[in-house]
Amino acid sequence: MNLTSEHPFWSVRNGILSTYPPLLENGSCEVLVLGAGITGALVTEALAADGHDVITLDARDVGRGSTSASTALLQYEVDTHLVDLIARHGRRMGELAYMACHESIDILERRIQASSIDCDFLRKDSVYLASREKDWPVLREEGEARRKIGIQVAEWDATEVAAKFGFYRPGALHSVQAAEVDAYRLTHGLLQAATARGGRIFDRTAATEINHHAGGVTVTTDRGTSVRARKVVVATGYEASELFDTGRFVNLNSSFAIASEPIPDAEPWWRRCLLWESARPYFYLRGGAGGRAIFGGEDVPFRNAKARDRVLPAKADKLAARFRDFFPAIRMEPAFEWAGTFGETEDGLAYIGPYNKHPDCLFALGFGGNGITYSVIAAEIIRSHLKGKKHRYAGVFRFDR
């Protein structure tokens, strides 16, 4: 599957950070990770740090799938409101889902610091705008539900929103737990850290067949080579359904994004926070990357890559117009525009862990708008599973929830 349009910003900005060979000989390991995007990299580094013998395969160059198209807003806020998760799954499960995402940002920061990864990780606040008058009571109820479980969130009325940003919205929720990152650099940094601990990384090598047998799994590749492993971790994102019957769990959508030219004279709103709104699909934006504004939205159901890429110019024009509606005084010039494919689940939660139709396999699927935070959670749940322990958040993301 073609997961991105040509030239997503992060791979252009960073170029070739490191190279890995294809798998040209048969191999064996304790754990085989399929996928070397941000999810596979987080899993690989965590398992290597725990002393597992790990091989990681990717059909592309490292980080060149969905990771290269991520706008990399790190938020605990799930696309599904906490109050709606509680109504659907019960109070305990809904609250655990939000706490898992909240905690994941701290976990990621510690892992970045432990391996001294240069990836532009920066703590930010998150501002969730009420797009319409009728949305504000809904957001206030949501804010109260979050505070009840110990999440620090404040309500800003229309006066406070106008004072901060200069435009009118009926209100907003302000959270202090958020961050931004360069996901492409983070992926390469994690894999370099894993390699230093004995991990073996191979890209441009696609898994084409999987066979279960006593003692584990054998995965055959498009190069005629194979890897025999005790366990397989499937971190191929939305392409997992090409080898596994997981397509019914995830709906594919396309999102569109712009990175502006640097805006040195802009008010520092985008340096302080991540901004998103209650309308669906929502407009979202962040700063970083040398003073640029990075923003996206205009999501549509995914049909095929050609159809997605044909509408990119029109979608980019709409996004630029939305930006100017928010900040008419800022001179914003688009520099890069791109599209990416992402998967959503019905309840907004990822699927992480074992799936009983595939013994000896562990999955990390359906990340939606919380991609990297869910990836961090997946790494923690999977590393606990391989230690023979049940992670406290494992039940929230199980396949049979």
Side-chain angles (χ1 to χ4, degrees), residues 49-385:
D50 288 347
H52 295 285
D53 176 25
V54 185
I55 288 178
T56 300
L57 301 180
D58 198 291
R60 300 177 179 82
D61 291 295
V62 161
R64 289 295 185 114
S66 296
T67 297
S68 65
S70 173
T71 47
L73 286 73
L74 307 180
Q75 296 171 288
Y76 75 87
E77 298 158 285
V78 179
D79 285 352
T80 304
H81 286 170
L82 172 56
V83 293
D84 295 327
L85 283 179
I86 290 172
R88 179 171 185 143
H89 291 303
R91 180 166 300 280
R92 175 172 172 76
M93 185 168 165
E95 292 178 349
L96 285 174
Y98 263 71
M99 292 310 299
C101 292
H102 193 277
E103 182 182 316
S104 70
I105 297 172
D106 297 329
I107 293 172
L108 180 59
E109 183 175 29
R110 290 195 296 269
R111 291 183 62 180
I112 290 170
Q113 292 173 345
S115 296
S116 301
I117 299 173
D118 178 12
C119 58
D120 295 338
F121 178 91
L122 184 62
R123 287 279 185 171
K124 291 287 184 77
D125 292 356
S126 173
V127 178
Y128 184 23
L129 297 167
S131 302
R132 301 160 296 187
E133 299 290 341
K134 68 178 183 179
D135 295 345
W136 183 220
V138 176
L139 264 62
R140 293 182 69 182
E141 180 187 11
E142 175 69 9
E144 180 61 26
R146 295 181 192 179
R147 285 190 292 272
K148 284 182 178 178
I149 61 173
I151 292 176
Q152 184 180 347
V153 57
E155 295 172 5
W156 288 354
D157 62 18
T159 301
E160 290 173 291
V161 172
K164 299 287 186 183
F165 299 109
F167 56 71
Y168 174 81
R169 290 297 184 277
L173 296 181
H174 169 244
S175 300
V176 297
Q177 180 77 332
E180 64 189 28
V181 74
D182 181 333
Y184 187 78
R185 293 185 71 86
L186 175 57
T187 296
H188 278 271
L190 289 163
L191 292 176
Q192 286 293 301
T195 300
R197 298 184 176 104
R200 291 169 282 168
I201 319 299
F202 302 94
D203 58 14
R204 303 182 307 284
T205 305
T208 57
E209 185 179 351
I210 181 165
N211 292 293
H212 300 272
H213 48 73
V217 179
T218 297
V219 173
T220 303
T221 78
D222 61 347
R223 294 182 177 274
T225 53
S226 64
V227 178
R228 187 181 179 98
R230 284 181 53 206
K231 295 286 185 181
V232 171
V233 176
V234 182
T236 51
Y238 324 121
E239 295 173 306
S241 59
E242 295 178 3
L243 275 180
F244 305 92
D245 60 336
T246 56
R248 66 187 179 91
F249 293 105
V250 180
N251 298 314
L252 294 183
N253 293 281
S254 296
S255 191
F256 304 86
I258 287 176
S260 75
E261 297 288 1
I263 312 176
D265 58 341
E267 291 295 320
W269 57 267
W270 47 269
R271 300 183 195 277
R272 295 196 306 264
C273 71
L274 313 180
L275 197 67
W276 61 304
E277 60 177 350
S278 59
R280 295 293 187 268
Y282 53 79
F283 178 82
Y284 54 91
L285 83 165
R286 53 162 285 193
R292 302 174 191 270
I294 300 171
F295 51 98
E298 288 293 320
D299 303 351
V300 295
F302 176 79
R303 291 183 294 159
N304 57 67
K306 289 183 178 179
R308 178 198 63 207
D309 294 349
R310 276 198 301 269
V311 301
L312 174 58
K315 292 292 187 179
D317 287 345
K318 288 183 178 181
L319 287 172
R322 289 296 312 278
F323 180 96
R324 294 182 180 114
D325 286 342
F326 275 95
F327 303 103
I330 295 178
R331 296 189 297 273
M332 188 282 296
E333 179 184 349
F336 297 87
E337 55 190 48
W338 69 96
T341 298
F342 69 98
E344 287 185 316
T345 63
E346 289 187 3
D347 59 6
L349 301 180
Y351 287 100
I352 301 170
Y355 176 34
N356 59 12
K357 289 191 175 183
H358 299 283
D360 300 316
C361 292
L362 300 168
F363 291 81
L365 299 175
F367 288 172
N370 289 71
I372 297 173
T373 52
Y374 281 153
S375 297
V376 174
I377 296 166
E380 296 303 307
I381 290 174
I382 289 168
R383 76 193 304 183
S384 291
H385 184 91

